[in-house]
Amino acid sequence: MKNVGVLLAGGSGTRMHTELPKQFLVLAGKTLLQHAIDIFSASSAIDEICVVLPQHFIQAISGADWFRNYAKPIRVIEGGTSRTHSSYNAFCAYRADNESINLLYHDAARALLSMRDLENVIRALELYDGVVLGTPVVDTIYELDESKTLQRIPEREHLWCAQTPQAFRGVQLAAAFTRWEKKGAMPYSDDVSLVKAMLPNIDIHLAESQDFNMKITTPTDLLVAEYYLSKKI
């Protein structure tokens, strides 16, 4: 099976409060997107990388020849109006080969992904239809109603925080996106949510993250990531 790392870098990053989308902000001398490409490019288990970008950035980045130093093939495609539509566009680029590929969707804002976590996801995909990287919830979670009145306190031991990569076999994605198209192509919060909604009986495994894999969303997150990399051995 061919493993394709899909780097989702199509967002606007409004919570970062910068003119540039966060995937193009610099962390320790490289953009967040370049950090993500580096880890996927370095893995011997990844065969190809697909970068999903906002349309107005594609020409500028291609013209600057951003990807010339990477040995692996890198395909650049246009993102959609939502996370789900960007994932769909990436799938469509490989749809004809769905029986011979796995797609690993990764948020480019998670620039600190470790090789260990990436390859644990890939190994787990040999046994399951889908795999998501995640961590156990450490805080107590409250479920509220629309007026922010407490309704329920779920048992924490059953709750996990979803991360990326979120990986799937191509045939399962083909079935999920076919149903999604017929149901009106509504956006979902992540790829697992869409696939599980379309294919309720699919076997999705959670691989526990062993390393620091924060999503860089705010200016404070960027400072934390800088500090982490400065202290990393």
Side-chain angles (χ1 to χ4, degrees):
M1 298 292 286
K2 179 179 179 179
N3 291 319
V4 179
V6 179
L7 302 183
L8 298 169
S12 59
T14 54
R15 284 175 288 182
M16 190 61 75
H17 306 297
T18 56
E19 291 186 10
L20 276 176
K22 62 188 174 185
Q23 57 268 30
F24 302 116
L25 297 181
V26 174
L27 169 66
K30 297 179 181 178
T31 66
L32 300 188
L33 176 56
Q34 287 171 312
H35 280 285
I37 294 173
D38 284 349
I39 193 67
F40 277 80
S41 180
S43 172
S44 60
I46 294 294
D47 300 294
E48 184 173 328
I49 296 169
C50 175
V51 180
V52 184
L53 291 171
Q55 190 277 330
H56 52 286
F57 279 96
I58 291 178
Q59 185 174 357
I61 287 177
S62 300
D65 204 10
W66 260 38
F67 310 125
R68 66 182 180 277
N69 294 324
Y70 294 102
K72 292 193 174 147
I74 297 180
R75 180 184 294 195
V76 180
I77 67 168
E78 182 178 341
T81 56
S82 68
R83 158 68 178 270
T84 301
H85 286 86
S86 290
S87 296
Y88 174 69
N89 287 358
F91 167 73
C92 287
Y94 297 92
R95 192 169 205 156
D97 303 315
N98 71 78
E99 294 185 358
S100 60
I101 63 165
N102 299 318
L103 294 188
L104 292 90
Y105 289 106
H106 184 63
D107 191 335
R110 293 190 185 273
L112 305 178
L113 176 68
S114 71
M115 183 66 72
R116 175 166 60 172
D117 281 344
L118 172 58
E119 297 195 340
N120 280 346
V121 169
I122 295 171
R123 282 192 293 271
L125 195 57
E126 296 175 4
L127 304 174
Y128 301 93
D129 296 325
V131 181
V132 53
L133 195 66
T135 56
V137 168
V138 296
D139 297 315
T140 298
I141 302 297
Y142 296 156
E143 183 177 328
L144 309 180
D145 62 16
E146 293 180 356
S147 65
K148 294 187 178 180
T149 301
L150 181 63
Q151 297 297 306
R152 191 171 72 93
I153 304 175
E155 294 185 20
R156 188 170 59 189
E157 59 266 32
H158 299 307
L159 300 176
W160 288 70
C161 295
Q163 298 182 352
T164 64
Q166 298 184 2
F168 307 92
R169 298 177 184 177
V171 290
Q172 303 295 347
L173 284 173
F177 276 122
T178 297
R179 292 187 182 183
W180 177 76
E181 291 167 331
K182 293 177 180 178
K183 287 179 177 288
M186 297 296 293
Y188 284 80
S189 59
D190 68 357
D191 304 298
V192 167
S193 299
L194 179 145
V195 173
K196 193 65 177 174
M198 297 301 106
L199 306 174
N201 296 323
I202 192 173
D203 189 9
I204 296 179
H205 175 72
L206 191 141
E208 183 171 359
S209 177
Q210 302 299 307
D211 300 302
F212 193 51
N213 185 31
M214 72 178 295
K215 184 176 181 180
I216 299 170
T217 304
T218 68
T220 300
D221 295 336
L222 197 60
L223 291 174
V224 171
E226 287 274 6
Y227 181 79
Y228 171 78
L229 290 177
S230 72
K231 298 299 182 181
K232 187 178 178 183
I233 298 175

